[in-house]
Amino acid sequence: MGNRSCNEPKDKPIVINAKYKVDEFNRTGLHYNLVAKAVDEERHKYVDPCTRSFMRYIIAMLISFDMGRMMGRVEEAYDFEGTGFGSRLTLKLHKIRPNLEQLMSLSLTEVDLQPYEKDILKAYCELSDAGEEALNQRKPRGKNAHFDVGATKVLHFLNPRLFIIVDSYAAKAFHMAHGVKPGYSHQKYLERMKLAQEDILEYGVSRFQALEPDTPIMRIYDKLTFMTGKKYAT
């Protein structure tokens, strides 16, 4: 029953057994889903992603998505007036506001990325950079570290129809499925976006969205990279 025809392309490693992976993620990741849904619902209330009200949800998402240890003191996470994480995030988002305006209405399944590459790279670099104003406040060897994984999570929740999350599991998934060397950089992020686009288009957009009809399409893809990389890591 339902044998694959000779001309039908085989699913690639990240999307293979996709329904099972989504179900497994949902079984063990309820806390992620609850926060993601709340952020997505809040996002639709604002045209401007730099509003303080929405940024509070982004901060809550980062803490819930395991980034709190990098963000500085917990009691200063929502500090928008002093030097806390909220103030640093505000500064970063205002710097890339012109770039974000080009990206907020795009979907990875519909867009030609080439005209937007500079905006994507600029946004990623600003959010991930180390230095005095770094979002990552951990100080290995006396210097602030980069915020690469956190940058992808901020971008993803600003527009979960366009941006992918790349954490350690996703990096492993892209290495296994597409040969992308582990590690993080703005160029690797863009490369992985293009590969995600390829995966979904080859799988079929309607078929992919049907895996979880009420979920933004890149949230579904994040669940697949997470579960693929998790299996690859064990």
Side-chain angles (χ1 to χ4, degrees), residues 118-181:
K118 289 184 180 179
D119 290 309
I120 294 169
L121 295 174
K122 170 64 176 176
Y124 179 96
C125 286
E126 186 62 46
L127 292 170
S128 65
D129 271 355
E132 290 185 5
E133 298 171 349
L135 294 178
N136 187 350
Q137 290 296 290
R138 297 180 77 180
K139 294 179 171 61
R141 298 180 182 177
K143 297 181 180 180
N144 285 352
H146 287 79
F147 197 58
D148 290 284
V149 174
T152 73
K153 292 181 179 182
V154 172
L155 290 171
H156 174 75
F157 281 99
L158 288 171
N159 184 356
R161 297 171 64 243
L162 175 66
F163 293 113
I164 63 173
I165 289 177
V166 182
D167 58 10
S168 60
Y169 283 156
K172 287 181 173 69
F174 279 109
H175 178 63
M176 179 192 71
H178 295 291
V180 180
K181 292 182 179 180

Side-chain angles (χ1 to χ4, degrees), residues 10-233:
K10 293 182 179 180
D11 295 337
K12 290 186 175 180
I14 289 174
V15 297
I16 198 168
N17 297 324
K19 184 66 171 94
Y20 170 79
K21 290 176 182 176
V22 169
D23 289 345
E24 278 298 290
F25 183 97
N26 292 341
R27 184 178 66 82
T28 59
L30 177 61
H31 51 303
Y32 295 127
N33 287 340
L34 291 174
V35 174
K37 182 177 180 180
V39 176
D40 193 49
E41 290 175 349
E42 192 71 10
R43 182 176 57 85
H44 286 96
K45 298 178 183 179
Y46 303 102
V47 175
D48 181 3
C50 296
T51 59
R52 184 173 298 185
S53 296
F54 182 61
M55 280 192 281
R56 290 178 61 84
Y57 277 76
I58 293 291
I59 292 167
M61 175 277 300
L62 288 169
I63 294 171
S64 299
F65 275 60
D66 309 315
M67 302 306 299
R69 65 192 182 280
M70 298 181 179
M71 294 164 58
R73 298 171 62 186
V74 174
E75 58 269 28
E76 295 179 351
Y78 298 96
D79 172 18
F80 292 93
E81 305 297 337
T83 59
F85 186 85
S87 296
R88 300 196 304 277
L89 181 62
T90 299
L91 180 63
K92 294 286 188 181
L93 290 182
H94 279 284
K95 283 184 178 180
I96 60 176
R97 185 196 293 267
N99 308 97
L100 294 175
E101 288 174 352
Q102 307 298 315
L103 304 172
M104 290 302 95
S105 62
L106 303 180
S107 170
L108 190 62
T109 61
E110 300 170 353
V111 69
D112 174 7
L113 286 171
Q114 195 278 328
Y116 303 100
E117 287 183 1
K118 289 184 180 179
D119 290 309
I120 294 169
L121 295 174
K122 170 64 176 176
Y124 179 96
C125 286
E126 186 62 46
L127 292 170
S128 65
D129 271 355
E132 290 185 5
E133 298 171 349
L135 294 178
N136 187 350
Q137 290 296 290
R138 297 180 77 180
K139 294 179 171 61
R141 298 180 182 177
K143 297 181 180 180
N144 285 352
H146 287 79
F147 197 58
D148 290 284
V149 174
T152 73
K153 292 181 179 182
V154 172
L155 290 171
H156 174 75
F157 281 99
L158 288 171
N159 184 356
R161 297 171 64 243
L162 175 66
F163 293 113
I164 63 173
I165 289 177
V166 182
D167 58 10
S168 60
Y169 283 156
K172 287 181 173 69
F174 279 109
H175 178 63
M176 179 192 71
H178 295 291
V180 180
K181 292 182 179 180
Y184 307 100
S185 72
H186 59 301
Q187 290 292 350
K188 283 184 178 180
Y189 184 66
L190 186 60
E191 179 183 5
R192 288 161 175 155
M193 284 187 70
K194 292 176 180 178
L195 292 169
Q197 183 181 60
E198 178 184 301
D199 281 345
I200 296 170
L201 292 179
E202 290 189 7
Y203 190 83
V205 176
S206 297
R207 179 186 174 206
F208 192 88
Q209 184 67 74
L211 293 168
E212 213 166 43
D214 297 326
T215 299
I217 201 156
M218 302 318 299
R219 284 292 313 126
I220 301 172
Y221 192 80
D222 177 54
K223 296 179 182 186
L224 298 183
T225 56
F226 184 94
M227 296 307 297
T228 302
K230 185 177 182 181
K231 180 178 179 180
Y232 182 54

